Amino acid sequence: AGATEPAEPARDATDDRRVAIIGVSLRFPGADSTDQFWANLRDGADNVRRLTPEELTRAGLTAEQRDAPDLVPVGGTLDGVTEFDARFFGLSPHEAGLTDPAHRLFLECCHQALEEGGYEDAGAETRTGVFAGSGMNLYGHQRPSGATGQPISADAPAGADPALGLQTAIAREPDFLATRVAYRLGLTGPAIGVQTACSTSLVAVHLATRALLTGEVDMALAGAAAVHFPQETGYRSHPGSILSPTGVCRAFDAEADGTVGGNGVAVVLLKRLDRALADGDTVHAVILGSAVNNDGARKIGFTAPGVAGQADVIRQALRDADVPAGTISYVEAHGTGTPLGDPVELEALARVLGEGERTAGACAVGSVKPGIGHLDSCAGMAGLLKTVLMLRHRTLVPTLHLNRPNPELALSNSALTLVSRLGPWSVPDGTPRRAGVSAFGVGGTNAHVVLEEAPPAATAVDEDEDGNARLPVLVPVSARDDDTLAELTARLGERLLRRPELAPADVATTLALGRRRRPARTTVVGGTAEELAQALAASAGERTDPPRPLGPLAFAFPGQGTARPGMARGLYAGSAAARRTLERCAEV
């Protein structure tokens, strides 16, 4: 302590161990998209809600259970958990009915993450891995099977159909979460289940990055699903429990009395940064390094947190990232709001990030849990995606319900400061924004990931070197049927109106090469995002017949008395295929 940190070493371009986040999908309380999640974070929305007596009754609670003095009827719930397009994923209604809703939502999120990254149709030759975990399964024990009307139980009665028992186990046990995704989406990389309690999703990210860096996979999906079905049950709190008796998670606050439960599903699509940049992928953020360890016996009990283990995993992650601790300007903490957990975590952070000569308050600390609840196995992913969005928007969002810092946190003259209000994420000129994300599981498996903001994206060029406007582009859209196509074109048009800066050529490339071609199809033409949106609105889901296989392309210039020098200059500048053809003609 007190020693000056060495200058940051130059990174060897031939051994780039950075990993890019190129696709994201989430279902959190109050949000089913990154745009909505960011709006909730920015606006300080509290999506942990109080459950009504009617909801508790529908969830199966008796009058006695509803009126129990220790029942806390709150939770972070998801909308539409029973909705699922089984036919889209090739499941029968019977199989879909048996399958845990958490597994169904995870399958949907994996598909959406591939779509968002532009790799839904990457093909079996691209080795895409799946690293995933799920929360405690309650689905089979809490609801009847839609196929048989009989309760699903791990202990089948005598004479029960053994095939149905096996099918039921496959449909709901965590062993099959990752492999179901690989099968249904045609992914040929390793599909591995991860179970480390609250740190599951961040451990999955760590394992996925290792598989990328060793060359075992070309891309990787990593995430977790935690949906406690039915959701609207609340919880019972008792003295000494980690669950808040007041039903409010107040991370780092003097009135903190525990955490609250929540449900969530989230997935990231990962790829080595050098390959992502070479392939023109959208990079949301960069993973510089990560680490996983366990407390061992260095703590007071199996479920207790440990300072030494947490500090060690942060140091290991920084070494893996090859960056000094002094360059970390934000940490998304585990931040459960428990009287023991918060002080232990802040002490561990201070031991590592407070080392060296750092200005008081140089590193901000926050927690997402007060706004959405503790998402169990998906908790680390919630913190990761919150941090990715803050890096993208260069903004720090407040930790909810933080009114008066807990005096046991010892923050005076510390390098750590708590984020209690919305504000810019400021760093010295020339210094990239860097952050740490922590997740600590019951039982002692700790995980920490070091993030950095994405490198500047290439600016879309709307004109060629002579100032000529780029040519309009042809954008294909396809869906399973006409109704879905109409919905898809409407949503795409709305997206383009919200993002007028999107380059039409990028939109066309993603939709033509990053999506599967489905039977109901339409095409639109436009030179700007707004023009494409207008064309989509006009198409209103018009159906075009599936095209016949095309032969070799030919470019024809018929003349008709309009030929002039330079007439193909725009086509030459805007189309690589046309450029190659014209250059070949010139050679001939």
Side-chain angles (χ1 to χ4, degrees):
T4 303
E5 289 186 337
E8 184 173 335
R11 192 176 296 274
D12 184 356
T14 63
D15 185 29
D16 194 340
R17 295 179 53 80
R18 294 173 293 177
V19 170
I21 299 174
I22 63 171
V24 175
S25 180
L26 62 85
R27 302 284 183 88
F28 290 157
D32 61 1
S33 68
T34 53
D35 288 345
Q36 186 60 58
F37 186 42
W38 174 248
N40 293 345
L41 293 169
R42 181 195 60 211
D43 299 341
D46 186 352
N47 288 289
V48 176
R49 66 185 186 87
R50 195 163 192 86
L51 305 169
T52 67
E54 292 76 18
E55 288 177 312
L56 295 172
T57 299
R58 287 197 299 270
L61 273 67
T62 65
E64 181 181 2
Q65 290 170 327
R66 293 196 309 270
D67 297 336
D70 59 350
L71 178 69
V72 185
V74 303
T77 61
L78 306 180
D79 294 330
V81 295
T82 60
E83 298 171 2
F84 181 66
D85 191 345
R87 188 158 65 97
F88 181 85
F89 291 105
L91 278 75
S92 69
H94 171 78
E95 185 178 1
L98 291 177
T99 304
D100 186 340
H103 291 215
R104 300 194 307 236
L105 288 171
F106 188 75
L107 177 59
E108 287 184 344
C109 282
C110 285
H111 178 263
Q112 290 171 355
L114 288 168
E115 273 200 330
E116 210 233 7
Y119 289 101
E120 184 210 0
D121 199 23
E125 65 278 2
T126 299
R127 298 167 302 161
T128 301
V130 186
F131 299 82
S134 61
M136 183 181 298
N137 179 280
L138 301 175
Y139 180 63
H141 302 282
Q142 303 257 352
R143 69 174 293 278
S145 162
T148 67
Q150 299 299 316
I152 300 169
S153 172
D155 301 316
D161 182 357
L164 177 60
L166 176 60
Q167 188 179 18
T168 299
I170 291 173
R172 65 184 178 91
E173 295 302 329
D175 308 57
F176 309 104
L177 177 68
T179 51
R180 176 179 291 103
V181 170
Y183 174 67
R184 293 296 172 185
L185 302 184
L187 309 180
T188 57
I192 298 175
V194 182
Q195 296 298 140
T196 62
C198 317
S199 58
T200 292
S201 59
L202 222 53
V203 172
V205 171
H206 169 77
L207 296 175
T209 61
R210 291 299 186 268
L212 285 163
L213 295 175
T214 59
E216 188 175 7
V217 296
D218 302 307
M219 295 189 298
L221 292 164
V227 183
H228 303 138
F229 195 91
Q231 302 180 88
E232 299 84 2
T233 58
Y235 59 84
R236 303 183 75 165
S237 178
H238 58 271
S241 166
I242 66 169
L243 297 172
S244 166
T246 60
V248 180
C249 178
R250 299 179 176 90
F252 314 123
D253 190 77
E255 302 299 321
D257 60 1
T259 196
V260 299
N263 298 274
V265 183
V267 179
V268 291
L269 178 63
L270 306 176
K271 194 177 188 181
R272 286 184 61 128
L273 178 64
D274 51 0
R275 297 179 183 176
L277 295 176
D279 293 340
D281 298 325
T282 295
V283 178
H284 297 287
V286 177
I287 297 174
L288 297 179
S290 62
V292 172
N293 73 357
N294 193 277
D295 293 325
R298 299 175 294 177
K299 55 184 182 177
I300 61 174
F302 179 72
T303 63
V307 173
Q310 293 183 16
D312 285 350
V313 81
I314 297 168
R315 288 194 186 96
Q316 292 167 17
L318 289 169
R319 284 197 295 269
D320 186 60
D322 197 22
V323 296
T327 65
I328 304 299
S329 50
Y330 176 79
V331 172
E332 175 63 22
H334 195 54
T336 56
T338 58
L340 176 61
D342 287 358
V344 164
E345 183 169 12
L346 266 290
E347 182 180 345
L349 283 171
R351 287 188 184 184
V352 181
L353 301 181
E355 294 173 350
E357 298 177 356
R358 296 202 73 180
T359 306
C363 182
V365 178
S367 172
V368 72
K369 289 180 178 64
I372 60 175
H374 189 324
L375 304 191
D376 191 47
S377 61
C378 197
M381 190 62 66
L384 182 81
L385 295 186
K386 171 194 170 184
T387 309
V388 167
L389 291 171
M390 290 197 304
L391 286 168
R392 182 195 299 175
H393 294 278
R394 301 182 175 184
T395 301
L396 296 177
V397 300
T399 298
L400 295 188
H401 311 308
L402 179 55
N403 301 314
R404 183 170 63 90
N406 185 345
E408 294 186 21
L409 300 181
L411 291 170
S412 59
N413 299 318
S414 168
L416 307 177
T417 186
L418 301 176
V419 184
S420 58
R421 62 177 60 89
L422 185 73
W425 186 340
S426 301
V427 293
D429 290 343
T431 302
R433 290 167 182 80
R434 288 179 182 152
V437 182
S438 293
F440 309 127
V442 169
T445 297
N446 307 306
H448 191 79
V449 172
V450 180
L451 294 176
E452 184 175 277
E453 62 185 327
T459 303
V461 179
D462 294 325
E463 297 180 340
D464 63 22
E465 63 272 16
D466 295 324
N468 299 315
R470 293 291 191 197
L471 297 173
V473 297
L474 186 71
V475 174
V477 187
S478 70
R480 189 184 64 197
D481 53 45
D482 290 343
D483 291 340
T484 308
L485 180 62
E487 180 182 352
L488 182 60
T489 54
R491 290 171 56 191
L492 179 59
E494 292 169 1
R495 174 81 171 189
L496 291 168
L497 290 176
R498 290 197 308 269
R499 298 283 306 277
E501 76 280 5
L502 290 175
D506 289 343
V507 177
T509 300
T510 298
L511 292 176
L513 303 180
R515 300 290 189 274
R516 287 192 173 95
R517 298 167 187 171
R518 295 187 166 89
R521 304 180 182 187
T522 190
T523 54
V524 293
V525 177
T528 65
E530 183 179 3
E531 289 179 2
L532 289 175
Q534 292 171 349
L536 286 164
S539 75
E542 290 179 0
R543 172 72 179 266
T544 59
D545 293 330
R548 291 172 294 181
L550 296 176
L553 293 177
F555 292 90
F557 302 92
Q560 298 296 324
T562 60
R564 63 188 185 283
M567 64 178 294
R569 184 180 302 276
L571 183 64
Y572 180 86
S575 169
R579 184 160 54 253
R580 288 193 299 269
T581 303
L582 290 170
E583 288 174 349
R584 174 59 180 153
C585 290
E587 291 172 3
V588 171

